[in-house]
Amino acid sequence: MNRTTLQNMIAGCICVVGLLLTVSQGNAQTAPGSLKTSQMSDEQIMQAWQQTQRLGLSENDAMSLLMKQGMSASEIDNFKKRLAQAQAMKTKPLPKKDTVVYSRDSNWIKEVPVARKKLDLYGYDFFSNASASFQPNIRVTTPRSYILGMDDDLQISITGLNQNEIEGVINPEGNLQVPNLGFISLAGLTIDQATERLRNRLAERIYPALKTGQTKLFLSLNKVRNIRVIVVGEAKNPGNFIVSSLASFFSVLNLAGGPSPMGSLRKIELIRNNKLIETVDFYSFLQNGIMDKNIRLEDQDVIRFPLYVKRVHLNGEVKRPATYELLEKETLSDLLKYSGGLTEYAIRDVAKIEQAGVREMRVRDIPASDFGSFILKNADSVYFDRISTRFTNRVILSGGVNRPGNYELTEGLSLAQLISKADGLKEGAFSNKGYIKRINKESERSFITFNTADVLSGKEADIKLAREDSVTILEKANLQDIPTITVGGDVRNPTVIQFRQGLAVEDVIAMAGGFTINAANHKVEVSRLEKNTADTLANKLIDVFVVDVDYDLRSRSTKTYLQPLDYVFVPELLNYRNLGNIKIRGEVLYAGDYALEKRNETVQEVIRRAGGISPFASMNDVQLYRNNLRVATTLLSDDSRSREPFLLLPDDSIYVPKLEQFVEVKGEVFNPQILSFESSSFISYINSAGGTTDKGNLRKAYIQYSNGISNKIRHFLFFRRYPKVKPGSKITVPEKTDTFKKGFSIFELASLTGTLSALVGLISILKN
């Protein structure tokens, strides 16, 4: 390695460390892969960039180093954008011009590859499952291989010829004190070994029957002690763990959260008294569910997760795509075993492997015969392709045959043989024409037509079929329009019916559900298109004729048969219908909803049908509503000119009001109120209400009568003609608007003066 390369590497490391320290002042554990540009201020970005300039690194070198340290391409892109924005805000931008114009420079994009979707690390998700647990079951018989130690609470049960229960705790020196016997050293012994030692000592001094078997001795744990286990290395949660002495090796693995992404699952080490006593391969449990090395732990044991040595990526048509950790001598066959094997559609005879060379990547194709001997390297990427969807020996038959579908292309298979395999032509096949779509080896497309009947009879030469030929036998139904007959009007289910020979008018009406109750069955109209083949423009295109059809659709001796595209229309009976209803309310004897009896029924006639008016009705103010609007009419007033009959329409409403001897004055008057009707003088009621206010516009005052008609004050020169007041009227004085002018304009005065002069002259002439 030359000096320049070494200097560049040192400078790059300093750049990356300086950038991380700038961002990570509040978090000492920030890793390059988790670095977020959004967490950096503009000042921090500028400081980091100035540091790279002082080291003499180019922009591409700095970005490449960040990418190698684990920063994603999107975060590098965000960093460059933030740097450009920060430089633009400075009055004196930094001399590095490539960052300012980064959007026009695509070199850095080539150096920051688009990351592929990472495969999951096989087996690591086992420890991410919070429900998974290896906690020991303490409600079981004490394992005979359990090794006793300090603080173990023991129970010695003596049965048979002698009966006794002895309890005690192993002291720090590893001894158990037994009454009448003294201290016995048990630490470091298994349950079986300790039982044997206690039996021998007690048989010598206290219970001789233990030698003959007349007395028996049983040793068990009253209370399980706790031990300390240390987890180090590439563990997700390394540290000290206080666990039960019955806890297994896998219990502590689970408590530590398993290995970190850099840790190994294949060589987990158990160290005791500074010696490696066991190496555990966790794949054995993941693959077979067997804990063949579920080792019992002792106090101060150390579990170490080493760094992984070899990982291989497996993807494509395998049952369990993932990143697998392999041992030194494991082969491609072992990798496939761990993945569960290939899928049903995988290409099985070759595996594609991408390997990292010294400077470039390379691709290798490994045949299936070498799977058992080919040893993979670290970071190899293995891929199994999917088989092609194209068939090697298929022909396709569709259309007018009894069994369309895919068929095997056998040696010398011809068109006639293929049709025979499909059980021949079906009824309705168009035997005069068929075709074959073919693609040859040069991908040229061709179209071959044939006469199906002639090929099958031998009149036409048979056609030899080729791979992926698509044979179509035409059908008559696909070459002809399907004519229809339309039935509409007063039938229960108007519909469109497919035409068939022999359909009569009665048949299609029955298929449409029959006549409605108000159908004019004696006047059924049939519209038929004339099939005019002339090349001149014709005026008449349809023939129309009327058919008398029995209401019960009984067949007659003479039927009217239909033709394609006929339209059968059943009209409604002319006078068999409801004319509608009208409503009458108010001062009538029998208010309610009444059906219109005739087309020209009047208001007066409906009032008579309702029993006439009550003694309190006001006939002059009868109101009529149509389409929710009030019809202003004096249809029943005392004026003889309004005695003309008023014809009603469906849904009209009649209201006969009550006679009211009051007049209401409202609007811009000093005392709006309801006054008793005393005279027909308009102005007298306004005066009774206190006159108009300053905002009142007497010129625009109007009256509304109880029948809905309104009337206003009429003006002529200086004269005003006030409308006549009637009982039940409402007088309204509106407010002056902004456009209202007090007095006369110049033009109005000039016009008024001219009119007065003409009147004076006319009077003088008449006097003379």
Side-chain angles (χ1 to χ4, degrees), residues 31 48 66 82 91 124 244 283 307 319 327 329 344 431 460 517 562 609 628 678:
L66 288 175
R82 288 284 306 278
T91 56
Y124 285 64
S244 166
Y283 272 27
L307 287 167
K319 294 179 179 178
L327 300 178
K329 300 298 182 180
E344 297 81 358
S431 59
E460 185 176 322
I517 193 171
L562 298 174
R609 290 173 58 190
N628 297 323
E678 295 178 353

Side-chain angles (χ1 to χ4, degrees), residues 485-556:
I485 296 172
T486 304
V487 184
D490 275 70
V491 290
R492 297 179 65 247
N493 300 306
T495 185
V496 177
I497 300 170
Q498 182 177 340
F499 172 77
R500 297 179 185 275
Q501 289 289 346
L503 279 176
V505 175
E506 295 85 354
D507 301 327
V508 296
I509 293 176
M511 296 170 71
F515 293 113
T516 62
I517 193 171
N518 53 346
N521 58 291
H522 64 286
K523 195 175 177 59
V524 177
E525 184 179 274
V526 179
S527 303
R528 179 169 296 167
L529 284 171
E530 293 183 358
K531 193 167 185 179
N532 192 339
T533 59
D535 294 332
T536 58
L537 190 64
N539 182 36
K540 184 179 178 182
L541 303 178
I542 295 178
D543 286 334
V544 178
F545 55 91
V546 176
V547 180
D548 183 4
V549 181
D550 186 80
Y551 187 83
D552 295 328
L553 300 177
R554 286 191 291 265
S555 300
R556 300 183 177 180

Side-chain angles (χ1 to χ4, degrees), residues 715-736:
H715 303 271
F716 179 72
L717 298 179
F718 298 104
F719 306 104
R720 292 180 181 176
R721 183 180 178 186
Y722 295 99
K724 184 184 294 187
V725 179
K726 297 180 180 180
S729 300
K730 296 179 182 180
I731 299 173
T732 303
V733 179
E735 184 180 357
K736 294 178 182 177

Side-chain angles (χ1 to χ4, degrees), residues 286 297 315 363 388 429 433 482 515 521 672 679:
L286 294 175
L297 298 175
N315 208 344
V363 177
S388 173
K433 182 69 67 174
I482 301 177
F515 293 113
N521 58 291
S679 68

Side-chain angles (χ1 to χ4, degrees), residues 254-275:
N254 188 62
L255 290 174
S260 69
M262 303 298 291
S264 171
L265 274 179
R266 305 300 305 274
K267 294 182 178 180
I268 307 173
E269 300 173 351
L270 176 61
I271 301 172
R272 182 175 297 160
N273 298 325
N274 295 325
K275 294 181 180 180

Side-chain angles (χ1 to χ4, degrees), residues 177-196:
Q177 185 176 10
V178 180
N180 303 320
L181 186 62
F183 289 97
I184 300 177
S185 178
L186 298 180
L189 301 180
T190 65
I191 293 291
D192 286 340
Q193 292 170 344
T195 301
E196 186 63 25

